[in-house]
Amino acid sequence: MKILFLEDNPLDSRRISGLLAKESADVDVDAVETLADAVSRLRQVQYDAILTDLNVPDSEGLDTFLKFQESAPRMPIVVLTGQHQDESTAMDAVHRGAQDFLTKDDLSGKVLRRTLKYAIERKQMENLRQSFVSIVTHELNTPISVIHGAVDNLKEGFLGALNEAQQKYLDMIGSNAKRLHRLSNDIHDLTKLEGGRFHLNVGEIDLCLPLRNVCDSLEGLSRQRGVRIEPNLPGTVRISADEERIEQVFTNVIKNAVRFADARVDVNIEADETQVRVAVEDDGPGLDPVDLPMLFQPFYQGKQKKAADGGSGLGLAIVRGIVMAHGGTIEASNRPDRRGARFVVTLPKSKGG
Amino acid sequence: MAKRILMIDDEPNTIEVVGDRLKEMGYEFEGRSNPKEGQWATSKTRPDLIVLDINMPGWNDGIGFLDSIRHHPNLLGIPIVIYTSLNIRELRRGAEEAGASGYYQKLSEDKAFYDKIEKLLG
């Protein structure tokens, strides 16, 4: 097995390469000292796995892992942590898709080799799972779109006029086909986010633009529900982000707020030197404390779920995934001052910074 | 004379559903469900517009297929609209760069798809 090994400390690098070489003749280690070097090797050589320190001269912490994941999304990655570092960054990497982590002071050739072998197996399963989901969701979309198209043609009356009951049933079939389609698209997006394969199209944007778009596009729904959206947006707030995805995030969050609000949804922006915080607050029943820890989990539907809203149960999980891919965070809580729920999205002004 | 639309999609039911609608809209319609047979390219009457699925068996690279159609001597200059179940941004951008007149996901962008055809054919 061929391993790409990134470690800037020459002593550690030699020691760990030596451990692996002594353990087995079938391990071939390519050691480099900078991330830039590692990424350029990845383009030239076919490796089986990556073993990497997180703090190297040209990259630090979780970013090192994320950059590897971006350049080689199908490659298993094992993270190494220093003696005095805490494990939390390494655990973050595991949550974001690293196969394992090891502490440098606690290494043997045997453990290293076995960890790498397992990492390769695990990643292979993960790649299979992702391809499977991707194929299944697309295969589902074809028949669903045929059902929907056929219903649409019937509803248009191409085959003769329909009575009210027939119309009602066709509406039902049509809206449920749409719901299946949304579910399948959402599963596809979520799987890509989990695998770090969600491509962001990052550019310099004015965050107020997508926010205004979202508020405008939800006007119909809010009027229908008797809810007023009150956006309190300053002139411009420049950040580097994927505008379309950011719009997707706030469509989801603000639509939820409109759904649960009694009369009013507030959208506020607060910016400082490094980050932007967008708070979306409603005056509805608020969140059940029982739901709070689970809110962003896929398919979790809280106690207050309103029937037949057509949600897939994946919206907030996707929202969180997109926000995290931007290097941001999302938090949900109840308003301290009054009744209602509060969602706060924090985004760095420049991605990863 | 009615404008003529050629649709290439490996799913016959999709061809039927889309064809019925386009005929209802007043177009002449021809559908081909075997992207490999090549007959569509040699048919005597030139279509005024081509509707193309980009995700068909035998063609791993949908953009390559689009490219081969766009440069087929019998089909030069005919607008191509992509209509597919895939909603992949890179593919969308790739299709537009390769000269497609539009890219629409089946079902979720149906309305925009039919509107675009009307706009292209006047």
Side-chain angles (χ1 to χ4, degrees):
Chain A
M1 86 185 142
K2 200 161 174 59
I3 308 298
L4 177 62
F5 177 31
L6 171 58
E7 168 63 71
D8 64 323
N9 178 332
L11 281 176
D12 279 342
S13 178
R14 227 170 302 140
R15 177 172 65 95
I16 292 166
S17 300
L19 282 173
L20 271 167
K22 220 190 302 169
E23 178 61 26
S24 157
D26 73 347
V27 185
D28 184 5
V29 180
D30 230 354
V32 290
E33 286 175 19
T34 62
L35 181 66
D37 242 6
V39 169
S40 88
R41 290 282 174 97
L42 276 172
R43 284 197 208 102
Q44 294 151 16
V45 186
Q46 182 60 48
Y47 293 100
D48 296 303
I50 294 167
L51 177 65
T52 183
D53 189 4
L54 289 178
N55 297 319
V56 289
D58 56 344
S59 177
E60 218 168 279
L62 191 61
D63 245 16
T64 312
F65 165 74
L66 293 176
K67 280 174 194 152
F68 267 129
Q69 195 182 41
E70 203 180 320
S71 350
R74 298 183 76 86
M75 186 83 65
I77 301 173
V78 174
V79 165
L80 283 172
T81 60
Q83 306 186 6
H84 306 295
Q85 277 168 298
D86 70 316
E87 288 180 359
S88 71
T89 315
M91 272 317 286
D92 282 348
V94 170
H95 287 142
R96 299 291 289 271
Q99 270 55 57
D100 208 342
F101 75 88
L102 292 167
T103 9
K104 281 187 210 167
D105 56 345
D106 192 21
L107 284 180
S108 71
K110 205 175 242 113
V111 166
L112 263 169
R113 183 171 175 277
R114 207 185 59 160
T115 302
L116 287 165
K117 283 249 174 218
Y118 275 13
I120 292 169
E121 290 301 316
R122 265 203 299 273
K123 186 65 180 179
Q124 225 160 45
M125 293 297 292
E126 180 54 26
N127 287 339
L128 267 176
R129 185 182 76 94
Q130 299 219 358
S131 317
F132 174 77
V133 171
S134 180
I135 291 165
V136 167
T137 51
H138 282 139
E139 288 302 314
L140 281 173
N141 276 353
T142 302
I144 294 169
S145 69
V146 170
I147 294 172
H148 189 265
V151 166
D152 251 7
N153 285 358
L154 279 169
K155 273 163 59 182
E156 291 284 330
F158 296 170
L159 299 158
L162 302 166
N163 66 35
E164 211 172 302
Q166 289 167 333
Q167 191 80 41
K168 189 183 84 183
Y169 272 94
L170 285 177
D171 285 346
M172 208 189 290
I173 299 169
S175 69
N176 279 286
K178 259 195 185 140
R179 190 166 161 184
L180 271 175
H181 191 253
R182 246 188 336 257
L183 178 61
S184 146
N185 277 351
D186 282 357
I187 292 174
H188 184 256
D189 275 2
L190 190 66
T191 309
K192 281 192 106 171
L193 278 164
E194 285 171 348
R197 281 180 218 193
F198 202 72
H199 181 75
L200 286 181
N201 209 354
V202 175
E204 284 290 314
I205 66 162
D206 172 10
L207 181 58
C208 296
L209 268 175
L211 280 170
R212 244 175 243 125
N213 282 346
V214 172
C215 295
D216 290 349
S217 71
L218 290 174
E219 217 189 279
L221 176 72
S222 50
R223 196 173 322 118
Q224 189 191 322
R225 289 223 57 250
V227 171
R228 236 176 25 206
I229 305 178
E230 297 281 350
N232 182 12
L233 309 175
T236 51
V237 178
R238 300 238 149 253
I239 63 168
S240 64
D242 184 326
E243 185 159 6
E244 209 178 302
R245 294 304 179 192
I246 290 297
E247 198 167 316
Q248 186 181 347
V249 164
F250 288 108
T251 299
N252 212 299
V253 173
I254 298 174
K255 200 187 213 169
N256 263 341
V258 169
R259 226 180 252 154
F260 288 105
D262 283 342
R264 183 183 163 125
V265 171
D266 285 284
V267 181
N268 284 295
I269 290 194
E270 228 177 79
D272 62 27
E273 291 301 301
T274 56
Q275 56 184 29
V276 185
R277 286 155 53 87
V278 182
V280 177
E281 297 171 309
D282 65 56
D283 60 353
L287 300 156
D288 191 314
V290 178
D291 293 335
L292 277 177
M294 300 295 290
L295 218 52
F296 296 100
Q297 296 300 314
F299 293 115
Y300 184 75
Q301 302 203 312
K303 288 189 169 171
Q304 292 147 356
K305 180 188 182 318
K306 293 193 178 173
D309 61 4
S312 65
L314 294 174
L316 284 177
I318 292 172
V319 160
R320 188 182 62 166
I322 296 174
V323 171
M324 278 172 64
H326 278 87
T329 57
I330 179 164
E331 282 159 45
S333 60
N334 281 315
R335 293 171 72 167
D337 50 329
R338 50 159 301 158
R339 211 170 90 102
R342 175 183 160 90
F343 283 80
V344 179
V345 175
T346 307
L347 292 165
K349 280 194 160 168
S350 60
K351 191 187 167 230
Chain B
M1 223 187 76
K3 295 274 169 85
R4 200 164 152 271
I5 298 173
L6 170 68
M7 178 169 186
I8 307 163
D9 190 309
D10 65 306
E11 172 58 51
N13 284 338
T14 303
I15 290 186
E16 212 165 319
V17 165
V18 173
D20 280 353
R21 170 157 293 224
L22 290 173
K23 280 184 249 172
E24 195 66 30
M25 286 163 71
Y27 301 112
E28 217 178 280
F29 178 86
E30 182 183 350
R32 296 286 180 187
S33 59
N34 186 347
K36 276 180 276 191
E37 70 186 1
Q39 287 174 18
W40 41 267
T42 54
S43 63
K44 287 191 189 87
T45 20
R46 245 172 81 93
D48 298 292
L49 183 142
I50 297 170
V51 173
L52 176 68
D53 186 3
I54 211 165
N55 169 39
M56 291 187 287
W59 288 88
N60 288 326
D61 172 13
I63 304 292
F65 186 50
L66 165 65
D67 230 33
S68 75
I69 290 198
R70 241 174 64 79
H71 295 108
H72 194 286
N74 290 353
L75 304 171
L76 287 176
I78 299 174
I80 300 175
V81 176
I82 306 297
Y83 185 58
T84 179
S85 64
L86 301 172
N87 183 19
I88 299 175
R89 278 167 130 200
E90 296 84 68
L91 213 53
R92 202 176 272 267
R93 208 169 317 127
E96 273 153 22
E97 274 163 19
S101 301
Y103 183 112
Y104 301 92
Q105 188 189 19
K106 288 173 183 171
L107 198 158
S108 58
E109 294 174 295
D110 275 0
K111 190 179 176 315
F113 167 68
Y114 291 112
D115 285 351
K116 180 73 179 185
I117 288 178
E118 272 194 320
K119 208 171 146 215
L120 283 169
L121 292 180

